[in-house]
PDB file of all heavy atoms in Angstrom:
ATOM      1  N   ARG S1261     -18.731   5.952  -7.388  1.00 83.00           N
ATOM      2  CA  ARG S1261     -17.629   5.246  -8.067  1.00 83.00           C
ATOM      3  C   ARG S1261     -16.560   6.303  -8.615  1.00 83.00           C
ATOM      4  O   ARG S1261     -15.382   6.098  -8.481  1.00 83.00           O
ATOM      5  CB  ARG S1261     -18.169   4.442  -9.221  1.00 83.00           C
ATOM      6  CG  ARG S1261     -17.124   3.616  -9.980  1.00 83.00           C
ATOM      7  CD  ARG S1261     -17.789   2.582 -10.928  1.00 83.00           C
ATOM      8  NE  ARG S1261     -18.598   3.226 -11.959  1.00 83.00           N
ATOM      9  CZ  ARG S1261     -19.901   3.242 -11.966  1.00 83.00           C
ATOM     10  NH1 ARG S1261     -20.576   2.631 -11.014  1.00 83.00           N
ATOM     11  NH2 ARG S1261     -20.525   3.857 -12.933  1.00 83.00           N
ATOM     12  N   MET S1262     -17.096   7.420  -9.107  1.00 82.00           N
ATOM     13  CA  MET S1262     -16.187   8.458  -9.585  1.00 82.00           C
ATOM     14  C   MET S1262     -15.343   9.023  -8.486  1.00 82.00           C
ATOM     15  O   MET S1262     -14.098   9.232  -8.614  1.00 82.00           O
ATOM     16  CB  MET S1262     -16.982   9.562 -10.288  1.00 82.00           C
ATOM     17  CG  MET S1262     -17.631   9.172 -11.592  1.00 82.00           C
ATOM     18  SD  MET S1262     -18.737  10.415 -12.281  1.00 82.00           S
ATOM     19  CE  MET S1262     -17.588  11.734 -12.558  1.00 82.00           C
ATOM     20  N   LEU S1263     -15.963   9.289  -7.284  1.00 81.00           N
ATOM     21  CA  LEU S1263     -15.257   9.796  -6.142  1.00 81.00           C
ATOM     22  C   LEU S1263     -14.167   8.806  -5.694  1.00 81.00           C
ATOM     23  O   LEU S1263     -13.046   9.259  -5.336  1.00 81.00           O
ATOM     24  CB  LEU S1263     -16.219  10.137  -5.037  1.00 81.00           C
ATOM     25  CG  LEU S1263     -15.620  10.692  -3.733  1.00 81.00           C
ATOM     26  CD1 LEU S1263     -14.861  12.008  -4.027  1.00 81.00           C
ATOM     27  CD2 LEU S1263     -16.671  10.959  -2.671  1.00 81.00           C
ATOM     28  N   ALA S1264     -14.569   7.568  -5.616  1.00 79.00           N
ATOM     29  CA  ALA S1264     -13.605   6.513  -5.175  1.00 79.00           C
ATOM     30  C   ALA S1264     -12.375   6.484  -6.118  1.00 79.00           C
ATOM     31  O   ALA S1264     -11.187   6.330  -5.678  1.00 79.00           O
ATOM     32  CB  ALA S1264     -14.243   5.165  -5.092  1.00 79.00           C
ATOM     33  N   GLU S1265     -12.671   6.583  -7.434  1.00 79.00           N
ATOM     34  CA  GLU S1265     -11.611   6.567  -8.405  1.00 79.00           C
ATOM     35  C   GLU S1265     -10.680   7.729  -8.246  1.00 79.00           C
ATOM     36  O   GLU S1265      -9.400   7.605  -8.334  1.00 79.00           O
ATOM     37  CB  GLU S1265     -12.189   6.527  -9.799  1.00 79.00           C
ATOM     38  CG  GLU S1265     -12.876   5.238 -10.199  1.00 79.00           C
ATOM     39  CD  GLU S1265     -13.567   5.261 -11.557  1.00 79.00           C
ATOM     40  OE1 GLU S1265     -13.555   6.351 -12.128  1.00 79.00           O
ATOM     41  OE2 GLU S1265     -14.098   4.219 -11.993  1.00 79.00           O
ATOM     42  N   GLU S1266     -11.247   8.932  -8.036  1.00 80.00           N
ATOM     43  CA  GLU S1266     -10.433  10.135  -7.876  1.00 80.00           C
ATOM     44  C   GLU S1266      -9.575  10.041  -6.590  1.00 80.00           C
ATOM     45  O   GLU S1266      -8.411  10.469  -6.590  1.00 80.00           O
ATOM     46  CB  GLU S1266     -11.271  11.380  -7.812  1.00 80.00           C
ATOM     47  CG  GLU S1266     -11.981  11.735  -9.176  1.00 80.00           C
ATOM     48  CD  GLU S1266     -10.945  11.932 -10.263  1.00 80.00           C
ATOM     49  OE1 GLU S1266      -9.864  12.478  -9.909  1.00 80.00           O
ATOM     50  OE2 GLU S1266     -11.215  11.560 -11.377  1.00 80.00           O
ATOM     51  N   ASN S1267     -10.162   9.511  -5.523  1.00 80.00           N
ATOM     52  CA  ASN S1267      -9.381   9.348  -4.259  1.00 80.00           C
ATOM     53  C   ASN S1267      -8.210   8.383  -4.435  1.00 80.00           C
ATOM     54  O   ASN S1267      -7.075   8.556  -3.968  1.00 80.00           O
ATOM     55  CB  ASN S1267     -10.269   8.869  -3.130  1.00 80.00           C
ATOM     56  CG  ASN S1267     -11.202   9.944  -2.625  1.00 80.00           C
ATOM     57  OD1 ASN S1267     -10.941  11.124  -2.808  1.00 80.00           O
ATOM     58  ND2 ASN S1267     -12.346   9.559  -2.067  1.00 80.00           N
ATOM     59  N   ALA S1268      -8.480   7.306  -5.158  1.00 78.00           N
ATOM     60  CA  ALA S1268      -7.447   6.351  -5.447  1.00 78.00           C
ATOM     61  C   ALA S1268      -6.350   6.949  -6.280  1.00 78.00           C
ATOM     62  O   ALA S1268      -5.149   6.671  -6.064  1.00 78.00           O
ATOM     63  CB  ALA S1268      -8.065   5.111  -6.123  1.00 78.00           C
ATOM     64  N   MET S1269      -6.735   7.754  -7.279  1.00 78.00           N
ATOM     65  CA  MET S1269      -5.751   8.399  -8.112  1.00 78.00           C
ATOM     66  C   MET S1269      -4.878   9.361  -7.294  1.00 78.00           C
ATOM     67  O   MET S1269      -3.671   9.472  -7.526  1.00 78.00           O
ATOM     68  CB  MET S1269      -6.471   9.118  -9.266  1.00 78.00           C
ATOM     69  CG  MET S1269      -5.570   9.792 -10.276  1.00 78.00           C
ATOM     70  SD  MET S1269      -4.593   8.546 -11.170  1.00 78.00           S
ATOM     71  CE  MET S1269      -5.868   7.807 -12.195  1.00 78.00           C
ATOM     72  N   ALA S1270      -5.515  10.079  -6.357  1.00 76.00           N
ATOM     73  CA  ALA S1270      -4.727  10.988  -5.522  1.00 76.00           C
ATOM     74  C   ALA S1270      -3.713  10.203  -4.673  1.00 76.00           C
ATOM     75  O   ALA S1270      -2.576  10.676  -4.501  1.00 76.00           O
ATOM     76  CB  ALA S1270      -5.735  11.727  -4.602  1.00 76.00           C
ATOM     77  N   GLN S1271      -4.173   9.059  -4.120  1.00 76.00           N
ATOM     78  CA  GLN S1271      -3.224   8.257  -3.336  1.00 76.00           C
ATOM     79  C   GLN S1271      -2.073   7.748  -4.206  1.00 76.00           C
ATOM     80  O   GLN S1271      -0.918   7.788  -3.737  1.00 76.00           O
ATOM     81  CB  GLN S1271      -3.967   7.106  -2.694  1.00 76.00           C
ATOM     82  CG  GLN S1271      -4.962   7.518  -1.640  1.00 76.00           C
ATOM     83  CD  GLN S1271      -5.745   6.313  -1.077  1.00 76.00           C
ATOM     84  OE1 GLN S1271      -5.536   5.189  -1.467  1.00 76.00           O
ATOM     85  NE2 GLN S1271      -6.693   6.585  -0.156  1.00 76.00           N
ATOM     86  N   LEU S1272      -2.416   7.340  -5.356  1.00 74.00           N
ATOM     87  CA  LEU S1272      -1.336   6.843  -6.280  1.00 74.00           C
ATOM     88  C   LEU S1272      -0.309   7.951  -6.621  1.00 74.00           C
ATOM     89  O   LEU S1272       0.837   7.759  -6.609  1.00 74.00           O
ATOM     90  CB  LEU S1272      -1.963   6.248  -7.546  1.00 74.00           C
ATOM     91  CG  LEU S1272      -2.742   4.966  -7.370  1.00 74.00           C
ATOM     92  CD1 LEU S1272      -3.455   4.591  -8.739  1.00 74.00           C
ATOM     93  CD2 LEU S1272      -1.826   3.834  -6.965  1.00 74.00           C
ATOM     94  N   ASN S1273      -0.925   9.140  -6.864  1.00 69.00           N
ATOM     95  CA  ASN S1273      -0.022  10.293  -7.213  1.00 69.00           C
ATOM     96  C   ASN S1273       0.873  10.598  -6.035  1.00 69.00           C
ATOM     97  O   ASN S1273       2.058  10.985  -6.165  1.00 69.00           O
ATOM     98  CB  ASN S1273      -0.856  11.464  -7.573  1.00 69.00           C
ATOM     99  CG  ASN S1273      -1.499  11.291  -8.936  1.00 69.00           C
ATOM    100  OD1 ASN S1273      -1.096  10.503  -9.760  1.00 69.00           O
ATOM    101  ND2 ASN S1273      -2.629  12.017  -9.183  1.00 69.00           N
ATOM    102  N   SER S1274       0.342  10.527  -4.774  1.00 65.00           N
ATOM    103  CA  SER S1274       1.119  10.870  -3.571  1.00 65.00           C
ATOM    104  C   SER S1274       2.203   9.837  -3.359  1.00 65.00           C
ATOM    105  O   SER S1274       3.374  10.184  -3.030  1.00 65.00           O
ATOM    106  CB  SER S1274       0.194  10.903  -2.420  1.00 65.00           C
ATOM    107  OG  SER S1274       0.916  11.127  -1.173  1.00 65.00           O
ATOM    108  N   SER S1275       1.962   8.609  -3.543  1.00 59.00           N
ATOM    109  CA  SER S1275       2.962   7.565  -3.261  1.00 59.00           C
ATOM    110  C   SER S1275       4.029   7.444  -4.337  1.00 59.00           C
ATOM    111  O   SER S1275       5.073   6.878  -4.133  1.00 59.00           O
ATOM    112  CB  SER S1275       2.276   6.182  -3.149  1.00 59.00           C
ATOM    113  OG  SER S1275       1.623   5.850  -4.335  1.00 59.00           O
ATOM    114  N   SER S1276       3.786   8.033  -5.452  1.00 55.00           N
ATOM    115  CA  SER S1276       4.750   7.959  -6.561  1.00 55.00           C
ATOM    116  C   SER S1276       5.816   9.129  -6.512  1.00 55.00           C
ATOM    117  O   SER S1276       6.571   9.289  -7.469  1.00 55.00           O
ATOM    118  CB  SER S1276       4.033   7.994  -7.886  1.00 55.00           C
ATOM    119  OG  SER S1276       3.355   9.228  -8.060  1.00 55.00           O
ATOM    120  N   ALA S1277       5.771   9.975  -5.440  1.00 54.00           N
ATOM    121  CA  ALA S1277       6.735  11.068  -5.363  1.00 54.00           C
ATOM    122  C   ALA S1277       8.167  10.589  -5.235  1.00 54.00           C
ATOM    123  O   ALA S1277       8.425   9.540  -4.639  1.00 54.00           O
ATOM    124  CB  ALA S1277       6.367  11.967  -4.170  1.00 54.00           C
ATOM    125  N   ASP S1278       9.167  11.266  -5.795  1.00 59.00           N
ATOM    126  CA  ASP S1278      10.613  10.894  -5.771  1.00 59.00           C
ATOM    127  C   ASP S1278      11.187  10.979  -4.324  1.00 59.00           C
ATOM    128  O   ASP S1278      11.130  12.001  -3.721  1.00 59.00           O
ATOM    129  CB  ASP S1278      11.369  11.829  -6.665  1.00 59.00           C
ATOM    130  CG  ASP S1278      12.812  11.326  -6.922  1.00 59.00           C
ATOM    131  OD1 ASP S1278      13.212  10.415  -6.191  1.00 59.00           O
ATOM    132  OD2 ASP S1278      13.490  11.882  -7.847  1.00 59.00           O
ATOM    133  N   PRO S1279      11.739   9.885  -3.746  1.00 60.00           N
ATOM    134  CA  PRO S1279      12.248   9.879  -2.364  1.00 60.00           C
ATOM    135  C   PRO S1279      13.386  10.849  -2.184  1.00 60.00           C
ATOM    136  O   PRO S1279      13.588  11.428  -1.155  1.00 60.00           O
ATOM    137  CB  PRO S1279      12.766   8.414  -2.171  1.00 60.00           C
ATOM    138  CG  PRO S1279      11.911   7.620  -3.138  1.00 60.00           C
ATOM    139  CD  PRO S1279      11.781   8.521  -4.326  1.00 60.00           C
ATOM    140  N   ALA S1280      14.188  11.069  -3.259  1.00 62.00           N
ATOM    141  CA  ALA S1280      15.290  12.003  -3.172  1.00 62.00           C
ATOM    142  C   ALA S1280      14.824  13.437  -2.925  1.00 62.00           C
ATOM    143  O   ALA S1280      15.475  14.147  -2.211  1.00 62.00           O
ATOM    144  CB  ALA S1280      16.138  11.947  -4.462  1.00 62.00           C
ATOM    145  N   ASP S1281      13.738  13.787  -3.502  1.00 61.00           N
ATOM    146  CA  ASP S1281      13.207  15.137  -3.303  1.00 61.00           C
ATOM    147  C   ASP S1281      12.822  15.314  -1.798  1.00 61.00           C
ATOM    148  O   ASP S1281      13.028  16.398  -1.250  1.00 61.00           O
ATOM    149  CB  ASP S1281      11.958  15.362  -4.202  1.00 61.00           C
ATOM    150  CG  ASP S1281      12.386  15.354  -5.676  1.00 61.00           C
ATOM    151  OD1 ASP S1281      13.511  15.680  -5.942  1.00 61.00           O
ATOM    152  OD2 ASP S1281      11.443  15.148  -6.489  1.00 61.00           O
ATOM    153  N   ALA S1282      12.236  14.294  -1.214  1.00 58.00           N
ATOM    154  CA  ALA S1282      11.840  14.361   0.191  1.00 58.00           C
ATOM    155  C   ALA S1282      13.066  14.533   1.073  1.00 58.00           C
ATOM    156  O   ALA S1282      13.051  15.334   2.021  1.00 58.00           O
ATOM    157  CB  ALA S1282      11.043  13.116   0.570  1.00 58.00           C
ATOM    158  N   LEU S1283      14.140  13.755   0.750  1.00 59.00           N
ATOM    159  CA  LEU S1283      15.332  13.889   1.587  1.00 59.00           C
ATOM    160  C   LEU S1283      16.008  15.253   1.453  1.00 59.00           C
ATOM    161  O   LEU S1283      16.528  15.831   2.405  1.00 59.00           O
ATOM    162  CB  LEU S1283      16.311  12.763   1.206  1.00 59.00           C
ATOM    163  CG  LEU S1283      15.950  11.343   1.661  1.00 59.00           C
ATOM    164  CD1 LEU S1283      16.949  10.307   1.108  1.00 59.00           C
ATOM    165  CD2 LEU S1283      15.932  11.233   3.213  1.00 59.00           C
ATOM    166  N   ALA S1284      16.022  15.750   0.188  1.00 61.00           N
ATOM    167  CA  ALA S1284      16.658  17.049  -0.047  1.00 61.00           C
ATOM    168  C   ALA S1284      15.897  18.099   0.755  1.00 61.00           C
ATOM    169  O   ALA S1284      16.522  19.051   1.293  1.00 61.00           O
ATOM    170  CB  ALA S1284      16.625  17.366  -1.555  1.00 61.00           C
ATOM    171  N   GLU S1285      14.629  17.961   0.814  1.00 61.00           N
ATOM    172  CA  GLU S1285      13.810  18.926   1.549  1.00 61.00           C
ATOM    173  C   GLU S1285      14.191  18.880   3.044  1.00 61.00           C
ATOM    174  O   GLU S1285      14.320  19.924   3.698  1.00 61.00           O
ATOM    175  CB  GLU S1285      12.345  18.697   1.366  1.00 61.00           C
ATOM    176  CG  GLU S1285      11.438  19.696   2.047  1.00 61.00           C
ATOM    177  CD  GLU S1285      10.009  19.423   1.783  1.00 61.00           C
ATOM    178  OE1 GLU S1285       9.675  18.557   0.936  1.00 61.00           O
ATOM    179  OE2 GLU S1285       9.152  20.084   2.428  1.00 61.00           O
TER     180      GLU S1285
END
């Protein structure tokens, strides 16, 4: 359960990145 929670948190952190930063790159 702890591992699943951490994986979910990683996915959430990845999807919340600013789109403008990606385009600038």
Side-chain angles (χ1 to χ4, degrees):
R1261 186 168 61 254
M1262 291 173 63
L1263 179 60
E1265 289 175 356
E1266 291 300 325
N1267 288 337
M1269 185 63 71
Q1271 291 177 2
L1272 290 174
N1273 290 337
S1274 175
S1275 61
S1276 64
D1278 191 347
D1281 292 338
L1283 289 175
E1285 183 178 351

